[in-house]
Amino acid sequence: MPPVENHVAETLLLAKKQLIRAIIQSKTKPYLPVWGELFTSLRDIARIGQETKENIKLYSLQPTGSMWYLYKENRFHADLPDPGISISLSQEQLIEALLKGSFSPKITSA
């Protein structure tokens, strides 16, 4: 049986991939509903952060910055170093912002 840490890491990686995929899908195919996928991904990430008591980096922001889940505050946090702004969001606020096109992930070519 694999160690619990491997299972948590795999679950976290899957949730992050699902989140990025849903964000991209909301931009490329805005007629498809993605609210549920965003909700599920963010809920899973938050649950893992609470269980492991660790802050989790969700993704890098376009053009600069990072999106985080901060377990102590139980909030999502956009860190934008270029203008020096930090934005704290609830899960629902982040979903609404993502659906409006805010906080886009930096897409790296593989």
Side-chain angles (χ1 to χ4, degrees):
M1 187 167 189
V4 173
E5 294 82 23
N6 287 347
H7 176 68
V8 171
E10 289 173 8
T11 303
L12 180 59
L13 183 61
L14 182 63
K16 286 181 179 183
K17 285 182 179 182
Q18 181 181 4
L19 175 64
I20 299 295
R21 191 171 39 248
I23 294 169
I24 292 169
Q25 185 177 18
S26 73
K27 291 176 185 283
T28 58
K29 298 180 180 180
Y31 50 87
L32 292 177
V34 295
W35 197 95
E37 289 179 56
L38 293 172
F39 179 85
T40 315
S41 300
L42 293 173
R43 182 196 61 202
D44 290 346
I45 291 167
R47 181 183 49 77
I48 291 169
Q50 290 294 318
E51 288 175 0
T52 61
K53 299 198 181 320
E54 293 180 1
N55 295 333
I56 298 173
K57 182 178 178 183
L58 279 64
Y59 55 84
S60 295
L61 293 171
Q62 178 69 28
T64 181
S66 300
M67 180 60 69
W68 290 83
Y69 172 74
L70 304 179
Y71 80 94
K72 286 184 181 178
E73 292 86 16
N74 192 26
R75 306 271 295 176
F76 295 90
H77 185 79
D79 182 28
L80 309 167
D82 189 22
I85 297 174
S86 294
I87 303 170
S88 180
L89 303 155
S90 69
Q91 181 177 352
E92 291 80 12
Q93 289 171 325
L94 178 55
I95 291 170
E96 292 302 320
L98 291 171
L99 291 174
K100 290 178 182 176
S102 300
F103 308 118
S104 295
K106 185 182 290 186
I107 306 300
T108 56
S109 57

